[in-house]
Amino acid sequence: MLCNILRRSPRLTFRHFSTSQPRHEIKDIGSLSQRLIPKYQESCDGELLCLQWPAPPRNIFLVRKDCAPAVTDSLVEFVNHVSSTYPSIAVILESKTAAEVHSSLSFPVYSVSLDEKTTALHDKVDLTVTLGGMARFYMQRPSSRPVPMFRPFYHSAWRAFREVYMSGAGAGDRTPVLEDIPGAAPTKQETEMGPTGWSSVRGKSMGSTRGARILMRNRLKVGLFTADGTETTPIRTKTDQGQGVYVMNELLIHRGKEPHLAVVDVFVGGRFLTEAVADGIIISTPTGSTAYSLSSGGSIVHPLVPSILLTPICPRSLSFRPLVLPSSTPITLRLSEKNRGRELEVSLDGVNLGKGMAVGMEVRVWNEEMRHGKNEWQGGVPSVMRRSVGYEAHEGWVGGLNGLLKFNHPFGEP
């Protein structure tokens, strides 16, 4: 009889209820809830702050370093852990990353083009998690309250992320849950993704004295101007004309493929400093002091020091040495008429602007203003500071520097 039924019903199919189809989906972030605005308690750790979420973070944005398969593997591992441990979290990836990894995930991810929808990201993202390449996300800032940034360290990534996620939870009871917060009714996102709130996480809360430690990293504002004073900074999605763009690490001007040294007039605080003849010039933040600036002979500056670094690259005159200036000091670099090359290349945080700096043009650099009231900050980039084993969060910078530069390692030891 079964054979006769099958012959009469060619469309009849059987479903195996013991298996489920993987959810290989890429969704648009427009369906996600609006971002949460955290506060930063000022009495935690000296000059460090303490992250205080008003509710558990729901939308995290992960960025990876390009052309690094090992980093991609770590990202997939981290995303799987987050999805299984914190089921109410939505994972947002750059479009290129989402297209590459979504087929290996059993849950949907959300995506957006970083170049085209920067505003959408700042409206939706609660927390950014960077495995390299994060600086470009902070070039534009539609909001005066940038998204907190977390850099996981692989040997303690799970525990460190839990500390960030639970920061601000009530002591002892891990409440309130999201549904109990006025104005935070469950959205379609929470309904589809399962339980929400700190109560869904096993274990005790971090408590008010064990929250994630935050360092406010200052940025620079950079503008490229023509000889007549018109701003022409060629950054996509730039909307605040005349206000420059933001740099977390460094501005770099260099001669590129031109065979001749660049000739640049340097002005500090509105006054002429020197005519620099060099391969190029780096202006960096303390955060960027351990990158290209350090390789060019610049100083190592702790990120708590409000300063700006001016470092020449291979100057012709040995008297032109690296400078450390107050963070409030405006700097102008003008390409001199004596310059023999056609133009200089300009890069911000490793991103080449694509448009060169011609004779008479200027790069103007000024400090980003950071303001704060009671537990509220505007400006800067809130960065989670990791704890070293047996030490507090502020010691993480010391440990990281030792690991980067191999301080106290015997000669010849890897």
Side-chain angles (χ1 to χ4, degrees):
M1 180 178 291
L2 179 60
C3 294
N4 292 334
I5 293 175
L6 290 176
R7 291 191 188 100
R8 296 172 185 172
S9 307
R11 296 182 181 179
L12 185 63
T13 59
F14 291 93
R15 178 180 176 185
H16 298 280
F17 291 97
S18 60
T19 62
S20 59
Q21 292 294 326
R23 299 180 66 185
H24 306 315
E25 299 179 65
I26 301 178
K27 298 183 177 181
D28 187 83
I29 66 171
S31 61
L32 296 178
S33 55
Q34 292 294 107
R35 64 170 290 203
L36 298 171
I37 305 296
K39 292 187 176 182
Y40 303 97
Q41 196 174 50
E42 300 181 30
S43 58
C44 284
D45 226 358
E47 293 180 289
L48 295 183
L49 307 174
C50 186
L51 176 65
Q52 298 288 308
W53 293 111
R58 294 165 288 181
N59 308 325
I60 66 169
F61 178 45
L62 283 91
V63 177
R64 62 169 181 173
K65 181 179 180 180
D66 292 333
C67 303
V71 174
T72 301
D73 293 340
S74 298
L75 180 141
V76 171
E77 182 182 358
F78 185 80
V79 167
N80 280 319
H81 166 76
V82 167
S83 178
S84 61
T85 309
Y86 311 94
S88 62
I89 283 183
V91 175
I92 306 170
L93 303 174
E94 293 181 273
S95 55
K96 180 180 177 181
T97 305
E100 182 176 336
V101 307
H102 81 279
S103 61
S104 62
L105 304 174
S106 60
F107 48 88
V109 295
Y110 295 79
S111 183
V112 68
S113 170
L114 186 57
D115 290 332
E116 298 175 357
K117 296 184 180 179
T118 308
T119 303
L121 283 170
H122 283 270
D123 288 341
K124 300 293 185 179
V125 174
D126 298 327
L127 174 71
T128 61
V129 179
T130 171
L131 284 77
M134 193 68 247
R136 60 186 182 273
F137 174 66
Y138 291 96
M139 275 189 174
Q140 295 297 314
R141 187 200 63 179
S143 168
S144 61
R145 298 174 177 175
V147 177
M149 177 176 65
F150 170 63
R151 297 179 178 179
F153 291 82
Y154 304 122
H155 63 278
S156 60
W158 302 167
R159 179 171 55 86
F161 183 81
R162 179 180 178 274
E163 180 177 277
V164 175
Y165 180 84
M166 299 296 295
S167 190
D173 58 4
R174 292 168 293 138
T175 56
V177 297
L178 183 62
E179 290 81 351
D180 294 335
I181 298 177
T187 64
K188 181 180 179 182
Q189 173 191 349
E190 283 92 42
T191 303
E192 291 179 348
M193 301 187 69
T196 61
W198 286 304
S199 60
S200 64
V201 181
R202 294 181 179 179
K204 298 180 180 180
S205 73
M206 301 305 298
S208 59
T209 62
R210 293 188 59 201
R213 297 311 195 253
I214 294 292
L215 168 66
M216 287 292 181
R217 296 181 182 269
N218 70 296
R219 295 178 293 182
L220 300 176
K221 298 174 74 175
V222 177
L224 181 63
F225 294 81
T226 60
D228 63 0
T230 303
E231 185 185 3
T232 177
T233 316
I235 295 290
R236 295 181 66 183
T237 73
K238 186 179 185 312
T239 58
D240 51 347
Q241 295 297 326
Q243 298 300 313
V245 294
Y246 295 88
V247 174
M248 273 200 67
N249 294 315
E250 76 272 314
L251 154 74
L252 165 66
I253 62 171
H254 57 100
R255 63 187 177 96
K257 62 182 180 181
E258 295 292 334
H260 306 291
L261 294 177
V263 183
V264 180
D265 294 331
V266 181
F267 298 83
V268 174
R271 300 184 62 182
F272 177 73
L273 175 68
T274 186
E275 178 185 79
V277 182
D279 279 352
I281 295 177
I282 303 167
I283 299 179
S284 75
T285 64
T287 299
S289 68
T290 53
Y292 197 177
S293 177
L294 175 63
S295 300
S296 299
S299 300
I300 299 173
V301 179
H302 194 286
L304 282 174
V305 179
S307 57
I308 181 172
L309 290 76
L310 193 157
T311 308
I313 305 173
C314 299
R316 184 178 66 181
S317 173
L318 297 181
S319 63
F320 187 14
R321 311 307 300 165
L323 302 176
V324 180
L325 303 168
S327 60
S328 59
T329 304
I331 298 175
T332 298
L333 307 177
R334 179 187 300 159
L335 188 56
S336 172
E337 294 182 357
K338 300 178 183 179
N339 190 69
R340 298 174 63 187
R342 192 171 48 178
E343 61 182 24
L344 301 185
E345 294 187 15
V346 183
S347 298
L348 304 179
D349 283 339
V351 178
N352 194 306
L353 294 187
K355 180 177 181 179
M357 179 180 176
V359 171
M361 294 184 67
E362 296 180 348
V363 173
R364 302 175 189 173
V365 182
W366 59 101
N367 190 51
E368 176 190 20
E369 181 181 3
M370 291 197 296
R371 304 183 303 274
H372 65 92
K374 183 174 178 57
N375 298 335
E376 293 187 1
W377 282 73
Q378 294 185 355
V381 177
S383 303
V384 178
M385 296 290 285
R386 70 184 179 106
R387 299 175 189 266
S388 298
V389 177
Y391 297 93
E392 288 300 319
H394 62 276
E395 298 294 338
W397 182 84
V398 176
L401 197 63
N402 284 340
L404 174 67
L405 301 180
K406 306 299 182 185
F407 288 172
N408 303 315
H409 281 235
F411 180 76
E413 182 177 307

